[in-house]
Amino acid sequence: MATSAGTEGSVGLVETSRVVLFTGDDPLVLDSGATLAPVEVAYETYGTLNADRSNAVFVCHALTGDAHAAGHHGDPSRVGWWDTLIGPGKPVDTDRFFVVSANLLGGCQGTTGPASTNPATGEPYGLRFPLFTVSDLVRVHRKLLAHLEIPTLAGAIGGSLGGMQVLQWAIDHPHDIRAGLMICSSARLTAQNIAFSAVARAAIMRDEHFHDGDYYRFGERPAVGLTLARMMAHITYLSETSMREKFGRRIQDADAPRYRFGVDFQVESYLEYQGESFLNRFDANSYLYLTRVMDYFDPFGDLPAAIARLKEVATRFLVVSFDTDWRFDTKHSLDLVRVLQGAQVPVTFREIASPHGHDSFLLPVPEYHRTVAAFLDRVAREVEPAH
Amino acid sequence: MVPRGSRVLDLGSGDGALLQHLAAERGCSVTGVEASDDGFFACVARGVPVVQADMDSGVSEFEDGSFDVVILSQRLQATNRPAVVLAEMLRVGRAGIVSFRNVGYWPHRVDLAVKGRMTVSGTVPHAWHDTPNIHLCTIRDFERLARDLGIRTTRRVLLDAAGHEAAGRAVRLRPNVLAAGAVYGLNR
């Protein structure tokens, strides 16, 4: 859903790099004890690393993101998914920060995932790809930083699942990150959140072309299931208000209802489009794994143990929520704030008024951008050499 | 009144100057609650952790006993429900510090008695219809409320019109008339 942007404030032409971070001799050891190799990671960088390598900001993407967060790959009208936020003079200011953005483990945009070839069989992993945790995502991020010879981060930022990685990273490695930014994120999915994920996965796994995850072998894919999963998820990304304003009860390509079961209302047409276009860029198995990693995420599940670990954390946090977000509503963010503060972790919180629901974190909502910019400005001043 | 290294919550933290001072000079672990955008961004620019919320709801976002000291400086009168806020302060904090302007101070009595008008002065600087100060009180009012809530006063400092500690026997004998304001240390 790229929007056009002028060259001003853009990082311009960028390309995705790839690097093999784990090999058979040095495999990725997951929380579960399973090992994985090779692990290749797709990533992009923007801006310039300073002399003491202290100005890096890591971008953690959400469920369906990828490494291409900012700039363009040749067509300036098709920009990265967080181009509104990242660039020269933007809230994540590439004139001041060196930004690293990587596709997640288990993803399908260049990083090793279930569609990658399993070296043991010579075929795609499918559901033989091991289940992994948010900590495992962080392990891979850290290995990329080691490859880039970046010892610590000025910042780590993410929305939704991205914010979960920021939180887990700070807990697992309490001195890695100076400033952690969690946008409309959560420390724990609710039963309702898990229920939506469950239905999405059911749609995929009950598709007759799913073949227990081995659809690659048949040259097929569970297109119906993945489309339905995306259509339903998309409803949860928008607010009731934004849907009413955007579509209302308007009829697609006509003035009057046609009284039929095919697409008639504009909102139906929109969801069809969202579902269809998703097929071209996402692998159904990746969708299963990356929704499942969110379901199990619960870093504060054992609260006394979590607080003991948080007391070591040197990161200070910005937590932002949006008032019309009902996927991860403000209560999710306030729960985060309460636990972090209770463990004496410095935390700043702001609820932003925005009509766009969960999707707000991808949109140029002025007060949201102002908040991120102010928080990161302070961080930039701390890591910039004194004049 | 704020111990070195303590965990401090400032309700209505304004631009965060007090908290920045407590963090830098006294090694306190600080958090602000501030409703205004200007105050919020001033805190962020200072590196002071701040939760944007009004004082009434903001104080309720924290766990029992998360703070050693909760400060409510010249803001009690701007809360919607002062009794609830005081109780919440001493739920989330082990001790409270509350300061306010004393509407029983004699110039305010003169305004009402002689001019027949609600007071507007340096210590109560807003017109009655356009003020954040919706719950003004006197020293006697406050002490009565604290007693009714079962809150103990550990310390009281009387203030003059300039905001300094008011000295002299007269003000100690008739604080409700002669003190422009007061600061209280509170606990359960």
Side-chain angles (χ1 to χ4, degrees):
Chain A
M1 210 169 57
T3 53
S4 67
T7 48
E8 193 185 337
S10 169
V11 297
L13 183 66
V14 296
E15 57 185 39
T16 306
S17 304
R18 291 187 185 210
V19 58
V20 176
L21 293 175
F22 297 92
T23 60
D25 295 335
D26 175 27
L28 171 62
V29 181
L30 301 170
D31 265 351
S32 64
T35 60
L36 196 61
V39 175
E40 188 176 33
V41 168
Y43 69 98
E44 297 190 356
T45 69
Y46 323 112
T48 308
L49 192 60
N50 65 9
D52 57 1
R53 313 183 87 78
S54 64
N55 69 330
V57 170
F58 202 100
V59 173
C60 300
H61 73 66
L63 177 59
T64 66
D66 55 34
H68 183 38
H72 63 85
H73 285 166
D75 175 357
S77 71
R78 295 177 59 84
V79 294
W81 57 271
W82 228 355
D83 193 73
T84 54
L85 195 76
I86 302 165
K90 289 179 178 173
V92 181
D93 188 347
T94 52
D95 287 338
R96 304 172 89 182
F97 293 114
F98 178 69
V99 177
V100 181
S101 170
N103 187 213
L104 295 181
L105 176 73
C108 50
Q109 309 280 347
T111 294
T112 300
S116 303
T117 302
N118 179 352
T121 64
E123 292 195 36
Y125 283 99
L127 295 185
R128 282 168 297 278
F129 197 79
L131 279 170
F132 50 86
T133 64
V134 174
S135 284
D136 294 326
L137 300 178
V138 170
R139 281 194 177 91
V140 179
H141 294 336
R142 293 186 86 237
K143 188 80 168 180
L144 176 60
L145 287 186
H147 167 74
L148 297 172
E149 297 176 37
I150 295 170
T152 60
L153 290 169
I157 182 170
S160 201
L161 170 60
M164 296 175 177
Q165 295 157 57
V166 173
L167 175 63
Q168 190 68 57
W169 195 332
I171 294 172
D172 290 350
H173 303 281
H175 299 285
D176 268 12
I177 305 169
R178 181 181 289 261
L181 294 84
M182 286 180 279
I183 317 299
C184 58
S185 188
S186 174
R188 172 186 292 160
L189 265 58
T190 62
Q192 188 193 49
N193 297 143
I194 294 170
F196 276 114
S197 293
V199 177
R201 283 191 298 270
I204 291 168
M205 298 178 82
R206 293 177 191 184
D207 187 305
E208 61 174 330
H209 300 293
F210 183 62
H211 301 294
D212 291 327
D214 286 332
Y215 46 86
Y216 317 100
R217 186 186 300 167
F218 301 92
E220 295 177 4
R221 58 183 176 177
V224 170
L226 184 59
T227 302
L228 287 176
R230 177 64 170 179
M231 287 168 75
M232 190 189 62
H234 212 86
I235 300 170
T236 72
Y237 300 153
L238 304 180
S239 71
E240 208 273 337
T241 311
S242 65
M243 283 187 122
R244 190 187 318 140
E245 285 175 4
K246 209 165 176 173
F247 312 110
R249 294 179 50 83
R250 283 190 296 278
I251 303 299
Q252 183 71 20
D253 304 324
D255 295 327
R258 285 156 287 198
Y259 300 103
R260 63 185 189 186
F261 283 111
V263 167
D264 207 9
F265 293 96
Q266 274 186 8
V267 66
E268 294 178 294
S269 169
Y270 173 80
L271 288 177
E272 287 284 342
Y273 170 79
Q274 288 296 332
E276 290 291 328
S277 60
F278 192 57
L279 284 179
N280 298 325
R281 66 179 185 90
F282 220 81
D283 176 62
N285 282 328
S286 283
Y287 201 86
L288 300 181
Y289 279 86
L290 289 173
T291 56
R292 205 57 170 154
V293 79
M294 280 198 274
D295 292 350
Y296 285 122
F297 182 65
D298 189 13
F300 300 155
D302 178 352
L303 194 59
I307 287 175
R309 293 185 76 187
L310 284 168
K311 283 192 186 292
E312 305 300 314
V313 170
T315 306
R316 63 173 191 266
F317 287 94
L318 173 68
V319 174
V320 168
S321 68
F322 299 100
D323 62 351
T324 58
D325 181 356
W326 60 282
R327 186 174 177 90
F328 292 151
D329 62 24
T330 292
K331 190 175 175 307
H332 284 266
S333 285
L334 286 174
D335 287 345
L336 273 167
V337 169
R338 187 177 300 114
V339 174
L340 291 172
Q341 194 289 319
Q344 282 177 265
V345 177
V347 54
T348 289
F349 166 74
R350 192 173 189 219
E351 182 190 60
I352 308 286
S354 161
H356 305 295
H358 193 60
D359 245 6
S360 299
F361 85 95
L362 297 169
L363 300 171
V365 177
E367 285 300 313
Y368 154 48
H369 277 197
R370 181 184 174 206
T371 306
V372 170
F375 194 73
L376 284 176
D377 172 66
R378 170 81 194 186
V379 176
R381 283 188 278 131
E382 288 170 8
V383 299
E384 279 160 6
H387 294 293
Chain B
M1 290 173 100
V2 178
R4 200 167 281 283
S6 55
R7 300 167 298 164
V8 181
L9 176 68
D10 188 2
L11 289 176
S13 50
D15 67 5
L18 172 65
L19 288 178
Q20 188 181 35
H21 170 79
L22 291 173
E25 305 300 324
R26 300 191 68 82
C28 294
S29 153
V30 302
T31 304
V33 168
E34 173 60 31
S36 77
D37 288 354
D38 286 351
F40 174 85
F41 283 105
C43 288
V44 170
R46 289 176 191 273
V48 168
V50 57
V51 170
Q52 188 172 43
D54 64 53
M55 292 173 284
D56 290 83
S57 62
V59 66
S60 298
E61 297 305 337
F62 301 103
E63 297 279 5
D64 295 3
S66 335
F67 298 95
D68 300 307
V69 180
V70 181
I71 299 172
L72 187 62
S73 176
Q74 304 295 348
R75 302 299 288 270
L76 178 68
Q77 70 279 1
T79 61
N80 283 319
R81 296 195 294 169
V84 173
V85 171
L86 285 170
E88 281 291 277
M89 282 176 70
L90 292 172
R91 176 185 67 79
V92 304
R94 298 189 317 165
I97 298 174
V98 174
S99 67
F100 59 89
R101 294 176 172 121
N102 173 27
V103 177
Y105 184 41
W106 67 266
H108 305 321
R109 297 181 185 225
V110 169
D111 279 346
L112 194 58
V114 176
K115 299 182 196 161
R117 308 224 15 215
M118 285 295 285
T119 185
V120 179
S121 75
T123 55
V124 183
H126 297 275
W128 69 271
H129 56 87
D130 183 23
T131 175
N133 302 323
I134 54 178
H135 285 122
L136 294 163
C137 68
T138 67
I139 284 176
R140 192 171 287 171
D141 288 331
F142 177 79
E143 293 184 355
R144 176 67 176 267
L145 176 63
R147 197 169 68 230
D148 289 350
L149 293 172
I151 291 171
R152 289 197 314 135
T153 298
T154 54
R155 193 169 170 200
R156 182 179 79 179
V157 177
L158 300 170
L159 304 175
D160 64 21
H164 300 125
E165 183 165 0
R169 205 170 146 226
V171 72
R172 280 202 305 280
L173 285 173
R174 302 291 305 280
N176 204 39
V177 178
L178 298 177
V183 184
Y184 288 83
L186 306 171
N187 69 19
R188 281 282 181 199

